[in-house]
Amino acid sequence: MTTPDAFLADCRARLAFDLLSHTWNAVVLWALRDGPRRPVELRARIGGISSKVLTETLRRLRFNGLVARMADLDRPSRVSYELTPLGRTLLPAIDVVGAWAFAHGDEVMAAQEAACPEDGPRP
């Protein structure tokens, strides 16, 4: 249930949109949906993300309680990441946004192409 002020500065709905709107947050959460992964596995699964950006994203997700870091007791330099129960609660929302993008992505791209000539400026 939303209230008329659901998207004002200090509201919880805005917090959720901030979490999902960061470029890599939803992608990393989705990549962890099947279980723990080491950073090298995450990079291979995601593609197009640098080690630095992945590390920053994982730290941000840990800070927000969505991802847990696990160190291998036998090899302390070997770590993996997994979704927390709280992180798992975001998967249905990510799935809905992904389904919308699959259904309407071509329309959005067509609108972008129509709005900007091939060599013209982009917003």
Side-chain angles (χ1 to χ4, degrees), residues 67-120:
V67 168
R69 181 181 186 268
M70 302 172 305
D72 186 334
L73 297 176
D74 295 329
R75 292 154 72 184
S77 62
R78 187 176 180 143
V79 299
S80 60
Y81 294 86
E82 68 179 344
L83 293 175
T84 63
L86 180 61
R88 290 206 161 278
T89 65
L90 273 175
L91 293 177
I94 294 168
D95 190 38
V96 167
V97 172
W100 181 90
F102 185 79
H104 301 287
D106 290 340
E107 295 170 67
V108 172
M109 291 180 0
Q112 290 173 352
E113 288 175 14
C116 296
E118 198 166 310
D119 294 329

Side-chain angles (χ1 to χ4, degrees), residues 17-109:
F17 279 107
D18 284 345
L19 286 172
L20 289 177
S21 67
H22 193 281
T23 304
W24 292 104
N25 284 359
V27 175
V28 171
L29 291 171
W30 192 254
L32 288 169
R33 74 188 181 283
D34 294 326
R37 301 265 184 230
R38 295 183 55 230
V40 68
E41 296 169 323
L42 280 171
R43 281 194 65 214
R45 190 164 205 202
I46 293 169
I49 188 170
S50 69
S51 294
K52 178 183 180 227
V53 171
L54 177 59
T55 298
E56 291 168 353
T57 303
L58 289 166
R59 285 181 181 153
R60 184 173 41 259
L61 293 172
R62 284 182 63 209
F63 174 79
N64 286 291
L66 304 175
V67 168
R69 181 181 186 268
M70 302 172 305
D72 186 334
L73 297 176
D74 295 329
R75 292 154 72 184
S77 62
R78 187 176 180 143
V79 299
S80 60
Y81 294 86
E82 68 179 344
L83 293 175
T84 63
L86 180 61
R88 290 206 161 278
T89 65
L90 273 175
L91 293 177
I94 294 168
D95 190 38
V96 167
V97 172
W100 181 90
F102 185 79
H104 301 287
D106 290 340
E107 295 170 67
V108 172
M109 291 180 0

